[in-house]
Amino acid sequence: MTQDYVIEMRDITKRFGEFVANDQINLNVKKGEIHALLGENGAGKSTLMNMLAGLLEPTSGEIIINGKSVTIESPSKAAQLGIGMVHQHFMLVDAFTVTENIILGSETTNVAGMIDLKKATAEITEISKKYGLEVNPTAKVADISVGAQQRVEILKTLYRGADLLIFDEPTAVLTPDEIAELLKIMKVLVSEGKSIILITHKLDEIRAVADRVTVIRRGKSIETVEVAGATNDDLAEWMVGRSVSFKTEKIASNPKEVILSIENLVVNENRGIPAVKNLSLDVRAGEIVGIAGIDGNGQSELIQSITGLRKVKSGKITIKGEDVTHYSPRKITELSVGHVPEDRHRDGMILDMTVAENFALQTYYKEPISKNGILNYSKINEKARQLMEEFDVRGAGELIPGKSLSGGNQQKAVIAREIDRDPDLLIVSQPTRGLDVGAIEYIRKRLIAERDKGKAVLVVSFELDEILDVSDRIAVIHDGSIHGIVLPAETTKQELGKLMAGDHLK
Ligand SMILES: Nc1ncnc2c1ncn2[C@@H]1O[C@H](COP(=O)(O)OP(=O)(O)O)[C@@H](O)[C@H]1O
Ligand SMILES: [Mg+2]
């Protein structure tokens, strides 16, 4: 019954060269439903949706709208057909106002041929009221929060008359409050007759808002079901292709000598105000110390100072007995320290370099990767192929740019590069932010494996479940200092929450 669907994708295949990103995928969306598209990183979700948004054309297959076969050769064609997409990375112009961004490309002009800002603003205000999308039309995009920028993206699609809205992992960049807000907005949208495709790998979000879910795995559609009729275990298994455990198995730790020692550390943030305040902490060989805390309590500055990326104001950092307080990043790396930074795009990779070159970023100046200043590309590429295999980094080979890997595969690549150097101290910030259950399980296991090899591991994460899952000891950071050290088996989320909010241990 074609008429029941606002959109049908039939046997859609998309190739990038030899690589098949979508392999005869079927997806259909009913009017007024929230349809979740679930799949691991790199499964082919964005690729599939980009074909609806007019950014990619299918290699084969058919897209049917209201019973008619269509070709969506451009974003403006997609808009004409009533399709709007809110991308994972926003496509807004920072220097423009909210209104200017919304109307960009579909400006209404008045009789004099001038852009009619007044009319546009009135229209935007009306749409934003109707759907509960709060924005300040005259604010510059550079000055508004990430959540507000996302609302601008949504308004942009509605302004163009979208009936089907596609959200590509919309909650990855949001705070818990903003997530709740967005899920509410989605419900308003469908109650007003819109239809939604929601890409996510967060099972609780699917459960909170979606009516049906289509699971894809490695480019193939696996199942489409009513959400209420499937368990989380089912969904995870379809997504990953095997059963997934939400709790990582591990043996008791066997901590040895102190590898990292931090004494009375003070570190300023960019404006010159102390962000780390008199912080002391030890991490031993053979243990994972997890730092729990709310974003912005000095975690970033702490990690940057340990890795040499930020100057220390006072106090002392020692690694394997050596005072490294004022060492350069390179000198610290050479002391056998691995670092997986919180922002993999900014600090973890060079996105325009190939995946292979990214693997060589820490070793390019050394034999056998280079000799007498000349890079040995066959060695670089060979090493990359080996690491991609070993760490399950999926993508179209080692010669594509780093930016073509999906987020989870980028993260696995950074972790592969850092672990492969066999560091005595491994520092990992937000190890699994934005990743799917399969990649999360894999990464946590690798961290525990490093611990079991006798390495010292320091993990910073905003996810309490993650901290509780991997840590042997949990250090709670609040306002730049450690408010308590607790053992995962002897604490609860509530207790951690209190410490994170500023309570001290009795
Ligand atoms: N333009 C491209 N060229 C080559 N490979 C690509 C391109 N875009 C995506 N891919 C590959 O296709 C696969 C699916 O990617 P994507 O659709 O972004 O996955 P998802 O959104 O499910 O994480 C990945 O392996 C990715 O590296
Ligand atoms: Mg994607």
Side-chain angles (χ1 to χ4, degrees):
M1 286 280 288
T2 297
Q3 286 80 347
D4 287 349
Y5 297 128
V6 283
I7 202 145
E8 274 184 87
M9 301 183 88
R10 287 192 194 154
D11 294 323
I12 297 288
T13 294
K14 177 66 189 175
R15 291 174 192 276
F16 295 110
E18 290 289 284
F19 183 76
V20 186
N22 286 172
D23 188 359
Q24 299 201 300
I25 292 188
N26 289 296
L27 175 78
N28 49 56
V29 179
K30 290 181 190 166
K31 184 170 165 52
E33 80 167 339
I34 300 182
H35 193 110
L37 180 58
L38 175 67
E40 283 194 285
N41 284 291
K45 305 179 296 291
S46 297
T47 301
L48 186 69
M49 291 302 110
N50 284 335
M51 290 187 274
L52 288 184
L55 294 172
L56 290 173
E57 283 199 48
T59 310
S60 63
E62 203 178 12
I63 298 172
I64 294 164
I65 294 180
N66 298 327
K68 274 217 295 274
S69 184
V70 294
T71 314
I72 311 175
E73 70 277 357
S74 67
S76 57
K77 182 68 184 289
Q80 267 174 39
L81 291 167
I83 300 169
M85 183 157 170
V86 176
H87 292 274
Q88 214 166 354
H89 300 285
F90 303 150
M91 301 183 166
L92 301 173
V93 184
D94 274 356
F96 282 13
T97 66
V98 165
T99 301
E100 286 163 347
N101 266 283
I102 292 172
I103 64 175
L104 190 66
S106 58
E107 293 88 349
T108 353
T109 48
N110 58 20
V111 277
M114 304 286 283
I115 294 176
D116 193 345
L117 266 185
K118 228 168 131 187
K119 184 156 172 253
T121 308
E123 251 176 90
I124 291 165
T125 308
E126 194 193 315
I127 302 173
S128 81
K129 272 216 190 92
K130 180 166 177 193
Y131 298 102
L133 289 155
E134 213 176 293
V135 292
N136 171 3
T138 55
K140 285 234 164 35
V141 159
D143 299 332
I144 63 178
S145 70
V146 170
Q149 291 182 18
Q150 189 176 59
R151 292 195 288 276
V152 174
E153 289 275 13
I154 299 170
L155 280 168
K156 209 172 154 164
T157 67
L158 293 170
Y159 184 75
R160 283 162 180 68
D163 289 315
L164 172 68
L165 285 87
I166 303 166
F167 289 86
D168 193 351
E169 304 203 27
T171 61
V173 291
L174 301 182
T175 65
D177 285 349
E178 288 173 331
I179 291 175
E181 174 73 26
L182 175 68
L183 297 180
K184 214 169 80 194
I185 290 167
M186 286 184 167
K187 289 197 158 163
V188 175
L189 285 165
V190 289
S191 75
E192 293 286 336
K194 307 289 182 191
S195 311
I196 291 178
I197 300 178
L198 167 64
I199 301 184
T200 182
H201 42 243
K202 295 189 183 158
L203 300 178
D204 45 347
E205 283 166 16
I206 290 182
R207 226 159 263 297
V209 293
D211 302 294
R212 293 193 304 151
V213 53
T214 292
V215 185
I216 68 173
R217 179 167 83 232
R218 295 196 177 214
K220 292 193 166 72
S221 34
I222 304 296
E223 294 275 355
T224 297
V225 295
E226 302 277 337
V227 172
T231 65
N232 279 3
D233 286 345
D234 291 336
L235 293 175
E237 184 162 349
W238 291 331
M239 174 161 63
V240 184
R242 58 182 164 75
S243 68
V244 176
S245 87
F246 293 97
K247 179 116 196 73
T248 316
E249 296 289 325
K250 61 177 189 214
I251 53 168
S253 65
N254 180 18
K256 298 251 163 57
E257 74 280 9
V258 172
I259 299 289
L260 170 68
S261 176
I262 302 166
E263 294 164 68
N264 305 319
L265 190 71
V266 177
V267 183
N268 285 349
E269 39 100 296
N270 292 343
R271 292 167 298 174
I273 304 160
V276 176
K277 302 173 185 169
N278 215 23
L279 183 147
S280 300
L281 182 70
D282 285 346
V283 183
R284 292 172 176 273
E287 72 167 347
I288 298 181
V289 172
I291 296 189
I294 299 163
D295 190 5
N297 275 277
Q299 294 96 321
S300 306
E301 290 81 2
L302 171 66
I303 297 303
Q304 286 161 0
S305 65
I306 302 170
T307 51
L309 296 167
R310 183 178 286 270
K311 274 210 331 241
V312 170
K313 189 92 200 316
S314 63
K316 189 172 165 189
I317 303 171
T318 318
I319 294 176
K320 295 191 283 184
E322 191 165 335
D323 182 347
V324 302
T325 314
H326 302 291
Y327 274 20
S328 68
R330 162 91 51 102
K331 263 178 104 175
I332 291 170
T333 305
E334 303 240 296
L335 271 175
S336 191
V337 176
H339 177 210
V340 178
E342 62 181 315
D343 186 340
R344 57 183 166 256
H345 285 166
R346 202 185 61 199
D347 303 319
M349 304 187 80
I350 299 178
L351 292 173
D352 288 322
M353 284 189 170
T354 66
V355 174
E357 286 166 333
N358 271 287
F359 278 124
L361 285 180
Q362 300 275 33
T363 47
Y364 68 90
Y365 55 92
K366 281 197 250 191
E367 288 193 36
I369 298 301
S370 66
K371 205 170 172 179
N372 305 325
I374 296 175
L375 291 170
N376 181 338
Y377 267 94
S378 72
K379 280 269 182 312
I380 290 176
N381 296 342
E382 181 192 314
K383 180 82 197 172
R385 285 193 295 274
Q386 174 217 320
L387 286 175
M388 288 178 83
E389 171 80 37
E390 188 189 335
F391 286 81
D392 195 27
V393 179
R394 291 181 213 157
E398 76 281 9
L399 298 177
I400 60 168
K403 65 181 171 216
S404 303
L405 287 181
S406 66
N409 285 302
Q410 288 173 345
Q411 185 73 343
K412 284 197 254 180
V414 174
I415 287 182
R417 178 183 72 215
E418 299 303 313
I419 289 184
D420 180 59
R421 291 186 296 117
D422 203 24
D424 295 332
L425 172 62
L426 180 62
I427 298 170
V428 188
S429 286
Q430 313 303 344
T432 62
R433 182 152 58 175
L435 307 194
D436 56 76
V437 286
I440 290 173
E441 185 191 32
Y442 178 83
I443 286 171
R444 291 184 186 165
K445 272 192 183 148
R446 287 304 298 227
L447 297 179
I448 291 166
E450 288 305 296
R451 174 201 82 161
D452 291 344
K453 281 198 271 172
K455 311 298 187 174
V457 183
L458 180 63
V459 173
V460 177
S461 176
F462 303 144
E463 303 265 358
L464 277 188
D465 286 327
E466 174 154 273
I467 290 286
L468 284 162
D469 189 42
V470 299
S471 310
D472 299 307
R473 293 192 295 141
I474 300 173
V476 181
I477 192 169
H478 174 79
D479 193 22
S481 50
I482 301 296
H483 271 219
I485 292 187
V486 295
L487 303 177
E490 295 169 9
T491 191
T492 59
K493 269 197 193 178
Q494 284 67 30
E495 191 180 11
L496 282 176
K498 272 192 185 164
L499 289 171
M500 284 162 55
D503 261 16
H504 278 275
L505 269 190
K506 302 224 171 58

